[in-house]
């Protein structure tokens, strides 16, 4: 795609000035905006004053709290994320910061390759949201650093709301076969934060969801429209769009990275563990499966497997059962792009370095031979303060239905609580004694 990739984005970038209207009960308010800061330029209040605080109590009694700021390259950044389910006397710190680490877009025909965060003005493409896009919530005014129109840097571009997620749990009490006397069930809601950022013809919806049971879901959805500049893929790498076989849309990849700085129980000194399960079968016997834990003590470029997973473990806190708190990384569907070294792995664990901010085309100078991509930073350091990078890829082979507007295609992952609480934090009082082995009353 030629330089015209950005023309439409610049022309359509709406800059709105004014306070946002309060549409719901999410505790996030519009207000004065702090000054931009250097490297990366940032719009936020250093002390997380009221305009930059988010607090939401969900059905079931869980409260999520966090701060936010907006950077000139990464866009929305969440800070000091904590989770307080009912029964916990204080918030449980989970993340020190979380943000996008890159959106890498290479084209199948080798004609173009983009780093949308650090090379294509992703953050400056923040779109103004209509109130109908944030039902029951609040639209927050964001001051965009290095705005295309420096006289109008304010955009009503951050939605904070709640959204139904369906069943949080369901359990019938009583006999089997329809003899249940009581059904325990909860229809859950998530705290949802999102922005829309336009890059060329695409619009990226970046969602952050926080559930009552402690689960966090991070995903990016691509919509907008196909670029008519790309209707020229006649080399067998595209897909015919429109009548006949005249216009071919060029296939390409969206490789999305997230950068997560954990701070479980308020400490950066988390531990990383990898689990692998192996199943063996003997003739005439039921197969057996054994799961092995490997402590990840040095930086790692990890590859997902059918029976492999990772968790980040607190070194500073335990739940009421005496088990260390942790969060499991649960990748969503991914298409691994093999064209670049930094996209060849699904997850990276690197030792914290303030200079290392973006998975590719990292703009800061981190020193001689440091490299500009996350794969170069995996060089054998001991993990004392691990940073987690998650890579989820999507190979976009266009279709007729992508015209117009393009239906959303999502890519992302979850952070699932593992032993953060002693029981399901949404457990109803009648079942609160069902922790561990219990004998049925006789």
């Amino acid at each position: 795609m030629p330089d015209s990739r950005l023309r439409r984005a610049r022309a359509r970038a709406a800059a709105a000035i004014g306070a946002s209207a309060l549409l719901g009960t999410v505790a996030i308010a519009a207000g004065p905006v702090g000054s931009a800061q250097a490297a990366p330029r940032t719009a936020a209040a250093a002390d997380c004053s009221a305009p930059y605080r988010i607090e939401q109590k969900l059905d079931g009694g869980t409260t999520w709290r966090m701060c936010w700021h907006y950077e000139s390259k990464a866009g929305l950044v969440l800070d000091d994320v904590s989770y307080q389910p009912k029964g916990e006397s204080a918030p449980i710190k989970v993340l020190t910061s979380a943000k996008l680490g890159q959106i890498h877009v290479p084209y199948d025909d080798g004609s173009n390759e983009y780093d949308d965060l650090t090379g294509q003005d992703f953050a400056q493409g923040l779109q103004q949201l209509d109130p109908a896009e944030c039902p029951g919530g609040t639209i927050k005014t964001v001051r965009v650093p290095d705005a295309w129109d420096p006289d109008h840097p304010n955009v009503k571009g951050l939605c904070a709301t709640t959204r139904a997620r369906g069943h949080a749990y369901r359990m019938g009490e009583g006999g089997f076969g329809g003899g249940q006397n009581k059904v325990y069930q909860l229809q859950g809601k998530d705290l949802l934060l999102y922005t829309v950022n336009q890059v060329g013809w695409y619009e990226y919806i970046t969602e952050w969801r926080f559930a009552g049971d402690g689960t966090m879901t991070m995903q990016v959805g691509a919509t907008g429209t196909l670029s008519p500049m790309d209707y020229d893929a006649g080399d067998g790498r595209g897909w015919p769009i429109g009548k006949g076989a005249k216009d071919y849309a060029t296939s390409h990849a969206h490789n999305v990275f997230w950068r997560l700085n954990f701070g479980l129980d308020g400490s950066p000194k988390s531990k990383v563990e990898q689990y692998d399960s192996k199943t063996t079968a003997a003739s005439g016997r039921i197969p057996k499966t054994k799961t092995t834990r490997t402590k990840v003590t040095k930086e790692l470029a990890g590859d997902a497997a059918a029976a492999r997973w990772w968790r980040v473990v607190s070194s500073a806190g335990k739940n009421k059962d005496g088990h260390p708190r942790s969060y499991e990384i649960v990748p969503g569907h991914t298409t691994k792009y093999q064209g670049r070294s930094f996209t060849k792995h699904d997850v990276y664990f690197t030792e914290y370095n303030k200079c290392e901010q973006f998975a590719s085309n990292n703009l800061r100078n981190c020193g001689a031979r440091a490299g500009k991509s996350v794969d170069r930073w995996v060089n054998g350091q001991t993990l004392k303060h691990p940073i987690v990078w998650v890579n989820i890829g999507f190979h976009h082979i266009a279709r007729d239905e992508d015209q117009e507007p393009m239906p959303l295609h999502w890519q992302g992952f979850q952070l699932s609580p593992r032993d953060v609480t002693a029981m399901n934090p949404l457990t109803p009082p009648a079942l609160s004694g069902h922790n561990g082995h219990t004998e049925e009353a006789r």
Side-chain angles (χ1 to χ4, degrees):
M1 191 185 302
D3 290 340
S4 56
R5 186 173 195 254
L6 289 178
R7 291 178 191 161
R8 184 167 178 254
R10 291 182 183 274
R12 288 182 55 191
I17 302 178
S20 61
L22 182 64
L23 299 179
T25 59
V26 178
I28 174 172
V33 185
S35 60
Q37 300 173 11
R41 290 177 61 80
T42 300
D47 61 350
C48 189
S49 57
Y52 302 98
R53 272 199 304 269
I54 298 171
E55 181 174 329
Q56 177 64 42
K57 187 172 184 178
L58 299 170
D59 295 343
T62 292
T63 299
W64 283 96
R65 297 178 179 89
M66 65 200 70
C67 301
W68 70 273
H69 69 274
Y70 197 86
E71 291 184 356
S72 61
K73 297 300 179 182
L76 182 67
V77 183
L78 302 182
D79 301 299
D80 298 326
V81 178
S82 70
Y83 157 59
Q84 186 176 8
K86 66 180 182 182
E88 294 289 338
S89 59
I92 300 168
K93 177 76 174 293
V94 180
L95 292 165
T96 299
S97 68
K99 67 178 183 178
L100 288 179
Q102 191 57 275
I103 301 177
H104 170 249
V105 186
Y107 278 68
D108 284 16
D109 61 3
S111 61
N112 291 288
E113 181 178 18
Y114 302 98
D115 292 299
D116 280 351
L117 266 61
T118 54
Q120 296 295 311
D121 289 341
F122 170 89
Q124 285 67 43
L126 182 66
Q127 298 295 289
Q128 179 164 303
L129 300 177
D130 187 273
E133 298 183 81
C134 192
T138 301
I139 299 178
K140 178 68 176 174
T141 297
V142 180
R143 185 179 181 89
V144 178
D146 300 329
W148 289 331
D149 182 356
D151 294 328
H152 302 91
N154 296 334
V155 179
K156 292 182 178 180
L158 170 60
C159 172
T161 188
T162 57
R163 184 169 292 178
R165 65 181 298 210
H167 276 91
Y169 62 76
R170 187 187 190 281
M171 190 187 88
E173 183 180 67
F176 295 100
Q180 298 172 344
N181 297 319
K182 182 177 178 59
V183 172
Y184 296 96
Q185 69 88 28
L186 178 66
Q187 298 297 305
K189 285 186 177 181
D190 295 345
L191 166 63
L192 169 64
L193 308 176
Y194 82 86
T195 58
V196 180
N197 293 75
Q198 186 172 21
V199 180
W201 300 90
Y202 276 91
E203 297 189 12
Y204 292 112
I205 301 178
T206 306
E207 285 195 351
W208 306 83
R209 288 175 176 257
F210 303 88
D213 62 6
T215 301
M216 293 172 277
T217 302
M218 291 77 167
Q219 59 181 357
V220 169
T223 182
T225 186
L226 295 172
S227 168
M229 306 296 181
D230 292 333
Y231 289 177
D232 56 3
D235 59 358
R237 293 185 174 87
W239 196 270
I241 298 296
K243 294 182 179 181
K246 178 182 178 182
D247 294 329
Y248 280 73
T250 306
S251 302
H252 52 278
H254 297 261
N255 303 309
V256 181
F257 289 82
W258 287 260
R259 181 185 186 274
L260 307 174
N261 182 0
F262 277 85
L264 285 168
D265 292 298
S267 173
K269 297 180 181 180
S270 301
K271 301 175 183 178
V272 177
E273 296 176 348
Q274 176 177 308
Y275 290 79
D276 292 276
S277 298
K278 183 178 180 181
T279 300
T280 57
S283 179
R285 296 184 179 180
I286 298 174
K288 293 183 178 181
T289 299
K290 182 178 181 180
T291 299
T292 302
R293 179 184 68 172
T294 302
K295 295 182 178 180
V296 181
T297 59
K298 295 185 180 298
E299 294 175 316
L300 171 71
D303 297 300
R308 172 177 294 162
W309 53 277
W310 299 271
R311 70 169 183 159
V312 179
V313 187
S314 173
S315 62
K318 297 180 179 181
N319 67 16
K320 293 177 181 178
D321 282 344
H323 303 146
R325 295 189 176 102
S326 71
Y327 264 86
E328 179 180 344
I329 301 167
V330 185
H333 176 74
T334 186
T335 303
K336 194 180 297 186
Y337 179 73
Q338 296 294 334
R340 292 295 182 189
S341 57
F342 55 84
T343 59
K344 290 184 177 180
H345 301 284
D346 300 296
V347 64
Y348 295 85
F349 300 98
T350 62
E351 178 63 8
Y352 173 80
N353 183 333
K354 185 177 181 180
C355 184
E356 298 168 356
Q357 294 293 318
F358 297 97
S360 65
N361 192 22
N362 189 56
L363 297 179
R364 295 181 176 181
N365 181 4
C366 297
R369 298 182 295 279
K372 295 289 186 180
S373 58
V374 65
D375 57 301
R376 296 286 303 277
W377 304 330
V378 178
N379 54 19
Q381 290 187 76
T382 298
L383 289 177
K384 298 178 180 179
H385 178 177
I387 298 296
V388 181
W389 306 78
V390 181
N391 170 31
I392 303 292
F394 177 81
H395 189 207
H396 188 188
I397 299 177
R399 54 185 178 151
D400 276 338
E401 288 86 351
D402 286 340
Q403 303 176 116
E404 180 186 60
M406 184 194 308
L408 276 160
H409 53 80
W410 292 98
Q411 55 200 107
F413 68 103
Q414 288 187 328
L415 294 176
S416 180
R418 177 170 286 274
D419 304 339
V420 174
T421 53
M423 294 181 65
N424 182 347
L426 304 179
T427 297
L431 302 177
S432 61
H434 295 195
N435 182 21
H437 181 75
T438 58
E439 293 290 347
E440 185 174 346
R442 297 182 181 276

